[in-house]
Amino acid sequence: MATGIIGVGHYLPEDILTNKDLEKMVDTTDEWIRTRTGIETRHIAKNEESTFDLAYQAAINALAHANIEAEQLDMILVATVTADQSFPSLACQLQAKLGASQASAMDISAACSGFIYGVITAKQFIDGGVYKNILVIGADKLSKITDWTDRNTCVLFGDGAGAAIVSEVSEDKGILSFELGADGSGGNALHQEDNKIRMNGREVFKFAVRKMPESAEKVVEKAGFTKSDVDYLIPHQANVRIMEAARERLGLPKKKMAYSVNKYGNTSAASIPISLSEDVHEGKIKDGDLIVLVGFGGGLTWGAMTLRWGK
Ligand SMILES: CC(C)(COP(=O)(O)OP(=O)(O)OC[C@H]1O[C@@H](n2cnc3c(N)ncnc32)[C@H](O)[C@@H]1OP(=O)(O)O)[C@@H](O)C(=O)NCCC(=O)NCCS
């Protein structure tokens, strides 16, 4: 047996904030945001809607898609940088609400790379024969730590959650290779200060356009494939120009790359699982497809994997 993903789900809050809305809040234009980032709208959670609420909905959807009950979960991992409290963890709160009585639970802090860190952590427990089903969630409500007076950052982010059930799959499916990395010396380029996101956009951009393509290419090679074997790419949805760098390095046509940054902005740890879930449910990812997931984020961190889709 191998370790793969048997179900996915996602959730986005209802309210939509457009570039035109942002024009009224800071000195920016719809044109600037679209051409520099590819973002047109983002979903923003209401005040009373917490990161937990987003994560819970995504979890319910992933459990239903995998056709398993919460009692069958052995572990819950939540990748987030916006948990409602530092403790108890969001994962423990979910364990209670879902009724996942057999599951251990913890949060993972790796910013926008968190979902990939979570899936690869889950893989170790399943490969080792310790656990069978692990719920991995990427959930963030960045709007609560966004400085809505800072045009450098407030146009970029959105709220949302995505989830996956990591489990045993047949030998020819599942996760085939991965890479996780960190460079703490670059941490100041993207950090939280006085409870707000602070970013050196140019520094993060330089890091991301180098790391995402490099890491995507590396995991394809590690799995013993060539770029032409790749069917679909899911890059972290931060900025279309950074995503394009990864797509071009793999030589893929545009339609073979997940693209939701225009609708949702950068949803941090949620961006990759939201895209994965959306594209699986829309039939863009099919049984047997070789897909590459690749992300980068605060830390600085990065992560990538190749995955043969299916059970
Ligand atoms: C932030 C980012 C979109 C800026 O785009 P860019 O093409 O690199 O823009 P530059 O940094 O060259 O130029 C920025 C200029 O635009 C201005 N600017 C920044 N935000 C603006 C906005 N929303 N509207 C209008 N102008 C803006 C800046 O003030 C700056 O002006 P200056 O040169 O007079 O100081 C880009 O650097 C980026 O995407 N970085 C990565 C961010 C990211 O992904 N973060 C999350 C990681 S998980």
Side-chain angles (χ1 to χ4, degrees):
M1 296 297 278
T3 297
I5 292 176
I6 61 162
V8 281
H10 66 283
Y11 176 77
L12 289 144
E14 208 177 279
D15 294 349
I16 293 174
L17 185 72
T18 67
N19 292 348
K20 286 279 171 206
D21 295 331
L22 282 160
E23 283 181 358
K24 293 176 206 142
M25 297 160 65
V26 288
D27 181 16
T28 190
T29 62
D30 170 48
E31 214 263 329
W32 191 96
I33 303 170
R34 266 190 297 110
T35 53
R36 301 294 180 111
T37 70
I39 301 167
E40 293 164 26
T41 57
R42 64 290 285 144
H43 289 238
I44 303 292
K46 295 185 198 316
N47 278 345
E48 63 274 20
E49 197 171 24
S50 64
T51 310
F52 169 82
D53 296 321
L54 307 179
Y56 177 71
Q57 291 302 331
I60 292 289
N61 293 340
L63 284 166
H65 186 227
N67 201 18
I68 66 164
E69 303 296 329
E71 292 81 16
Q72 292 171 262
L73 292 174
D74 301 299
M75 185 178 227
I76 300 174
L77 298 173
V78 181
T80 186
V81 290
T82 52
D84 307 307
Q85 300 158 279
S86 53
F87 65 94
S89 66
L90 214 159
C92 277
Q93 293 172 0
L94 273 177
Q95 190 254 8
K97 177 89 183 252
L98 290 169
S101 55
Q102 305 306 309
S104 55
M106 65 175 169
D107 289 355
I108 289 183
S109 176
C112 304
S113 312
F115 178 74
I116 293 190
Y117 267 70
V119 170
I120 298 305
T121 303
K123 173 177 157 56
Q124 309 314 311
F125 285 98
I126 291 169
D127 284 355
V130 184
Y131 290 151
K132 251 180 137 45
N133 297 308
I134 301 183
L135 168 63
V136 181
I137 301 174
D140 270 307
K141 183 181 172 181
L142 286 185
S143 62
K144 73 176 177 187
I145 57 164
T146 297
D147 179 349
W148 291 103
T149 64
D150 176 15
R151 68 175 183 174
N152 290 294
T153 52
C154 76
V155 302
L156 301 176
F157 302 112
D159 301 334
I165 309 294
V166 179
S167 195
E168 279 186 345
V169 294
S170 53
E171 199 59 66
D172 56 335
K173 303 278 172 61
I175 298 160
L176 303 168
S177 64
F178 71 87
E179 178 187 57
L180 298 178
D183 177 7
S185 70
N188 261 342
L190 182 56
H191 67 283
Q192 194 180 342
E193 195 177 300
D194 299 331
N195 208 28
K196 294 283 178 263
I197 300 168
R198 297 291 171 223
M199 182 181 76
N200 179 334
R202 239 168 259 184
E203 279 306 305
V204 177
F205 190 89
K206 276 196 286 184
F207 159 74
V209 287
R210 181 171 56 84
K211 244 335 157 198
M212 281 238 295
E214 191 180 286
S215 200
E217 195 169 34
K218 209 183 271 179
V219 290
V220 172
E221 277 167 16
K222 263 192 188 175
F225 291 105
T226 60
K227 292 187 263 183
S228 59
D229 296 315
V230 176
D231 295 300
Y232 206 71
L233 170 68
I234 305 187
H236 170 46
Q237 308 280 310
N239 180 323
V240 70
R241 290 151 57 208
I242 301 170
M243 292 156 54
E244 283 290 301
R247 183 182 69 77
E248 280 164 17
R249 178 75 72 91
L250 293 184
L252 290 171
K254 277 190 193 288
K255 66 172 194 318
K256 294 205 166 183
M257 178 175 78
Y259 189 77
S260 63
V261 70
N262 57 330
K263 297 183 288 185
Y264 309 139
N266 179 349
T267 55
S268 185
S271 106
I272 291 174
I274 287 173
S275 274
L276 175 66
S277 170
E278 200 163 65
D279 292 347
V280 164
H281 289 289
E282 285 176 9
K284 289 185 190 161
I285 295 169
K286 295 179 203 68
D287 200 58
D289 278 355
L290 181 66
I291 62 176
V292 174
L293 313 185
V294 59
F296 69 95
L300 298 165
T301 53
W302 65 92
M305 72 177 93
T306 58
L307 175 73
R308 179 75 71 191
W309 186 253
K311 296 185 189 175

